[in-house]
């Protein structure tokens, strides 16, 4: 072979050559529909980006992010045992969750006495860890008790790494109740904790994210909240630098690694703009992360391990100072030691074995991440300015203006979940009706701290889980789930793709499919349907078979007493099969949730 550089032996790769190859592979299909996606905020995500120019990006302090574990057992002594087990197992930060916090979800500690705090932190050497309080509406009282505990133990305040987590505006968003005089109390608390290391106020994104907010809306709400605290502290007599140093933010990390990384990078750029506007020299913003509640599922909860691991990695790569990951059984009850260990070990692997924290801002220079970060920053700044024009975050919440904007995004996301454009593994995709229950601690939840007056808190999988729960109740009561008879037309090779698709789709609603190898004789089909005892039937075959056999099969099933007849697919001649008795069509992109609700009602008679 001729001894020439590789660059001379091969034609150089260019965007034009790549686009030609893509067009050939698409064979006339629409490039935009197939390869370009959009976020909830309408941001384009391209299939290919050019290398980005180097952009100065504010980052966290050098070193790995903190691995934080929630301490939320209602029994203080057991909570203390949890804390020690977590720290001995590799965590280096704790989140003490009070029962008044919306994030407690019916659990959490009664943090109304210093002795309870002392018991929950028994044996914990506070100077060696980071501690965050998550006390909700009891935040100011809990912070005062923590100060008493520090004085009782004789710890050096300057050696502590504390986040008091005071977020009266976040509590207002979650509960609809705004504490009167919070500005003065916040200022007084900053004064009381002079000499302590850490942050007093927390601009928390969780109420907005759980209500369905987009990335831009989440960033804007957090930024508006942080600015409101900055103003309150300045009005309380604190100089801007001290006020700035008293504030931290908490963003939500979900399983979308690209948007999560870009979102965490964007908040630092946004805060740097605020600092610049205030005439302050930029300092690293304290950015905390917690994995998303809304992505957690009660069905096939082991998938939550993957979701939280991806979210934790993305938050860490995006520059979070501390990451709290929810155990995979969090949506089912109070997680046991095994679930806590799994979520802890996931982060240990990311930090210690995968070395994800070794590089500062690993997304720097990557075209996709830089583009998303820049777009999120600009759109979030505009959304923040909109909140400011409405009078600030408190006024925007009071008028429901922000809530209405979030609700519109949540409604669009709910539609995406219903149509499986946003699939949920184990819930809407690949459900397993025979799954075994997982263990949680035998602790009953109390009334959650949220209120109907505040923003709603929803998990995406809840509508499907409700159908599955109803199916389980029927199974327990009658010994049999709701069923659908798969009216498979033709041999297995012809109907298998759609019969498998249909079986999985119905299982997402707790409806068990009765399968078979297929029928070529209508009488045999009807006899099998009658023998199945099902009230529902679903025709499954190829488009070619449907043209000749779907109408007579539907008419026969209707005459045999089928309460609802569905067809797997989207035939060109839909009207003829509708007239023959087909009520609905099951295909990729259909309103599966609506179909399943109707089918479940009919299956029960």
């Amino acid at each position: 072979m001729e001894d020439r550089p590789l660059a001379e032996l091969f034609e150089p790769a260019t965007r034009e050559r790549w686009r030609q190859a893509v067009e050939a592979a698409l064979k006339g299909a629409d490039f935009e529909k197939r390869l370009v996606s959009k976020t909830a905020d309408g941001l384009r995500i391209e299939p290919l980006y050019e290398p980005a120019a180097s952009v100065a990006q504010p980052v966290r302090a050098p070193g790995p992010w903190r691995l934080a574990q929630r301490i939320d057992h209602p029994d203080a002594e057991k909570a203390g045992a949890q804390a020690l087990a977590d720290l001995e197992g590799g965590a280096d930060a704790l989140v003490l969750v009070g029962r008044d916090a919306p994030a407690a979800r019916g659990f959490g500690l009664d943090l109304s006495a210093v002795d309870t705090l002392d018991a929950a932190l028994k044996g914990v050497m506070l100077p060696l860890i980071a501690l965050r309080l998550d006390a909700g509406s009891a935040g100011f009282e809990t912070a005062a008790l923590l100060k008493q505990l520090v004085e009782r133990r004789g710890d050096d305040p300057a050696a502590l790494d504390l986040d008091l987590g005071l977020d009266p505006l976040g509590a207002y968003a979650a509960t609809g109740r705004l504490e009167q005089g919070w500005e003065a109390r916040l200022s007084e608390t900053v004064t009381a904790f002079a000499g302590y290391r850490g942050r007093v106020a927390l601009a928390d994104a969780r109420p907005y994210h759980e209500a369905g907010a987009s990335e831009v809306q989440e960033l804007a709400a957090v930024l508006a909240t942080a600015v409101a605290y900055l103003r309150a502290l300045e009005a309380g007599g604190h100089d801007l630098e001290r006020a700035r140093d008293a504030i931290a933010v908490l963003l939500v990390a979900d399983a979308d690694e690209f948007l999560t990384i870009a979102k965490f990078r964007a908040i630092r750029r946004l805060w740097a703009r605020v600092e610049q506007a205030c005439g302050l020299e930029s300092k690293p913003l304290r950015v905390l992360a917690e994995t998303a509640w809304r992505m957690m599922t009660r069905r096939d909860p082991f998938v939550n391990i993957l979701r939280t691991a991806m979210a934790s990695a993305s938050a860490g790569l995006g520059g979070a100072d501390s990451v709290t990951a929810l155990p995979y059984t969090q949506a089912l009850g109070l997680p046991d030691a095994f679930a806590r260990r799994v979520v802890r070990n996931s982060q240990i692997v990311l930090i210690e074995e995968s070395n994800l924290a070794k590089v500062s801002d690993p997304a720097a220079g990557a075209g996709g991440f830089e583009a998303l970060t820049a777009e999120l920053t600009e759109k979030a700044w505009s959304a923040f300015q909109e909140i400011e024009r409405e009078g600030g975050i408190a006024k925007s919440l009071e008028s429901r203006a922000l809530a209405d904007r979030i609700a519109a995004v949540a409604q669009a996301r709910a539609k995406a979940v219903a149509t499986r454009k946003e699939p949920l593994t184990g819930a809407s995709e690949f459900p397993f009706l025979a799954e075994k229950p997982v263990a949680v601690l035998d602790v009953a939840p109390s009334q959650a701290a949220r209120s109907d007056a505040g923003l709603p808190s929803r998990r995406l999988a809840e509508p499907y889980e409700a159908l599955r729960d109803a199916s389980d109740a029927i199974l327990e009561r009658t010994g049999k789930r709701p069923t659908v008879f798969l009216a498979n037309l033709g041999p297995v090779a012809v109907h298998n793709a759609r019969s498998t698709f249909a079986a999985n789709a119905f299982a997402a609603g707790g409806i068990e499919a009765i399968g078979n190898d297929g029928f070529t004789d209508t009488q045999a089909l009807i006899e099998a349907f009658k023998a199945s005892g099902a009230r529902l039937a679903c025709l499954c075959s190829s488009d070619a078979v449907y043209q000749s056999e779907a109408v007579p099969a539907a008419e026969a099933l209707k005459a045999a007493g089928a309460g609802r007849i569905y067809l797997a697919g989207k035939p060109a001649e839909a009207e003829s099969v509708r007239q023959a008795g087909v009520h609905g069509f099951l295909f990729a992109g259909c309103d599966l949730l609506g179909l399943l609700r109707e089918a479940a009602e009919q299956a029960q008679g």
Side-chain angles (χ1 to χ4, degrees):
M1 176 181 275
E2 189 178 349
D3 187 16
R4 288 190 296 163
L6 288 177
E8 296 181 10
L9 294 174
F10 298 95
E11 190 177 349
T14 64
R15 175 175 284 274
E16 290 70 27
R17 288 187 61 220
W18 170 82
R19 184 61 183 257
Q20 291 172 4
V22 170
E23 295 290 357
L26 288 174
K27 298 179 180 179
D30 188 273
F31 178 89
E32 290 284 324
K33 290 183 178 179
R34 290 296 183 90
L35 295 180
V36 176
S37 60
K38 291 187 177 181
T39 72
D41 295 299
L43 305 183
R44 288 170 60 89
I45 299 182
E46 304 280 355
L48 184 68
Y49 289 87
E50 299 290 346
S54 179
V55 178
Q57 170 69 39
V59 295
R60 68 165 176 260
W65 66 85
R66 291 274 196 176
L67 194 169
Q69 287 276 83
R70 285 165 52 101
I71 306 301
D72 52 0
H73 199 297
D75 184 292
E77 291 187 4
K78 292 180 179 178
Q82 281 183 339
L84 290 177
D86 290 332
L87 294 172
E88 291 168 359
D92 58 357
L94 299 175
V95 180
L96 210 57
V97 182
R99 66 181 183 184
D100 294 314
R105 309 193 195 286
F107 300 105
L109 288 148
D110 177 3
L111 298 176
S112 59
V114 68
D115 289 339
T116 305
L117 270 174
D118 200 6
L121 297 170
K122 184 178 181 180
V124 175
M125 291 181 278
L126 294 180
L128 301 183
I129 70 163
L131 178 67
R132 172 164 67 90
L133 298 181
D134 189 355
S137 59
F140 289 108
E141 292 76 13
T142 304
L145 293 174
L146 179 62
K147 188 171 186 290
Q148 291 181 32
L149 178 62
V150 171
E151 293 168 352
R152 174 192 290 185
R153 292 188 175 185
D155 290 327
D156 178 8
L160 303 180
D161 188 353
L162 300 178
D163 279 287
L164 300 185
L166 299 180
D167 187 23
L169 292 172
Y172 180 33
T175 66
R177 297 186 296 272
L178 180 61
E179 181 175 350
Q180 297 302 309
W182 65 266
E183 299 96 331
R185 297 194 72 182
L186 187 66
S187 180
E188 291 165 2
T189 305
V190 170
T191 300
F193 277 82
Y196 280 70
R197 186 161 66 92
R199 306 293 189 272
V200 173
L202 179 68
D204 188 348
R206 288 176 296 178
Y208 310 100
H209 193 273
E210 291 172 20
S214 67
E215 288 77 20
V216 164
Q217 290 171 334
E218 179 184 345
L219 287 167
V222 163
L223 190 64
T225 302
V227 169
Y229 294 151
L230 196 65
R231 289 175 176 141
L233 292 176
E234 184 186 27
H238 300 279
D239 63 68
L240 278 175
E241 187 166 356
R242 176 69 187 102
R244 182 267 312 275
D245 292 344
I247 298 170
V249 303
L250 188 154
L251 295 182
V252 179
D254 62 30
D256 188 321
E257 68 272 28
F258 295 102
L259 281 171
T260 297
I261 290 173
K263 181 172 68 176
F264 276 78
R265 297 178 83 237
I267 191 60
R268 292 188 180 277
R269 293 189 187 183
L270 290 163
W271 188 244
R273 286 190 182 185
V274 172
E275 290 175 311
Q276 183 181 24
C278 293
L280 296 171
E281 184 178 345
S282 184
K283 289 177 64 175
L285 171 67
R286 173 87 143 204
V287 181
L288 312 178
E290 185 166 291
T291 60
W293 170 250
R294 83 181 183 202
M295 74 178 177
M296 302 292 279
T297 62
R298 296 175 61 236
R299 298 294 175 166
D300 200 358
F302 295 105
V303 181
N304 292 330
I305 298 173
L306 305 179
R307 296 184 178 106
T308 55
M310 179 61 74
S312 299
S314 302
L317 292 171
D321 293 290
S322 174
V323 178
T324 306
L326 302 180
Y328 72 96
T329 58
Q330 191 77 50
L332 290 162
L334 196 61
D336 63 6
F338 177 75
R340 298 176 68 86
R341 175 186 173 189
V342 168
V343 78
R344 185 174 66 241
N345 285 357
S346 293
Q347 284 205 66
I348 290 173
V349 169
L350 295 173
I351 295 171
E352 302 295 342
E353 297 187 27
S354 300
N355 293 306
L356 295 191
K358 291 293 185 182
V359 178
S360 177
D361 193 21
F369 287 115
E370 291 290 11
L372 277 174
T373 301
E375 289 182 274
L376 280 176
T377 301
E378 293 307 316
K379 291 205 73 170
W381 186 258
S382 296
F384 158 69
Q385 290 176 315
E386 183 175 14
I387 293 173
E388 290 290 281
R389 287 193 294 271
E390 292 164 348
I393 187 69
K395 292 292 185 182
S396 185
L397 289 169
E398 181 183 359
S399 69
R400 303 291 298 176
L402 178 58
D404 289 343
R405 292 194 292 271
I406 291 174
V409 173
Q411 185 176 7
R413 182 176 286 109
K415 182 178 179 180
V417 169
T419 59
R420 297 196 290 185
K421 183 179 180 181
E422 186 168 340
L424 305 172
T425 302
S428 66
E429 295 276 7
F430 310 112
F432 181 45
L433 291 178
E435 67 176 298
K436 303 298 182 184
V438 297
V440 293
L441 295 180
D442 187 17
V443 179
S446 60
Q447 183 65 36
R450 278 190 177 265
S451 164
D452 291 339
L455 296 174
S457 174
R458 302 188 186 99
R459 290 179 300 104
L460 297 177
E462 287 179 12
Y464 290 98
E465 291 170 352
L467 292 170
R468 293 282 298 276
D469 290 345
S471 173
D472 286 350
I474 293 171
L475 175 64
E476 185 176 356
R477 187 173 68 250
T478 67
K480 184 180 179 182
R481 292 188 185 279
T483 56
V484 58
F485 176 78
L486 299 184
N488 298 325
L489 306 179
V492 172
V494 174
H495 69 70
N496 186 59
R498 279 178 169 156
S499 61
T500 302
F501 173 82
N504 278 285
F506 281 108
I511 300 173
E512 187 173 1
I514 301 173
N516 48 73
D517 291 335
F519 302 92
T520 57
D521 178 72
T522 302
Q523 186 58 38
L525 170 68
I526 297 306
E527 290 176 0
F529 168 69
K530 290 180 177 179
S532 72
R535 292 179 50 82
L536 308 176
C538 182
L539 294 167
C540 302
S541 195
S542 66
D543 289 343
V545 171
Y546 285 155
Q547 288 181 5
S548 59
E549 299 184 29
V551 168
E555 290 174 342
L557 287 166
K558 182 179 180 180
R564 278 288 188 276
I565 302 170
Y566 301 94
L567 184 145
K570 195 176 182 182
E573 299 296 331
E575 187 57 34
S576 60
V577 291
R578 281 190 184 278
Q579 292 178 0
V582 171
H583 295 86
F585 300 93
L586 186 62
F587 55 91
C590 73
D591 180 3
L592 178 63
L593 193 57
L595 185 149
L596 290 174
R597 284 170 172 161
E598 177 196 74
E601 183 177 342
Q602 289 295 319
Q604 297 175 43

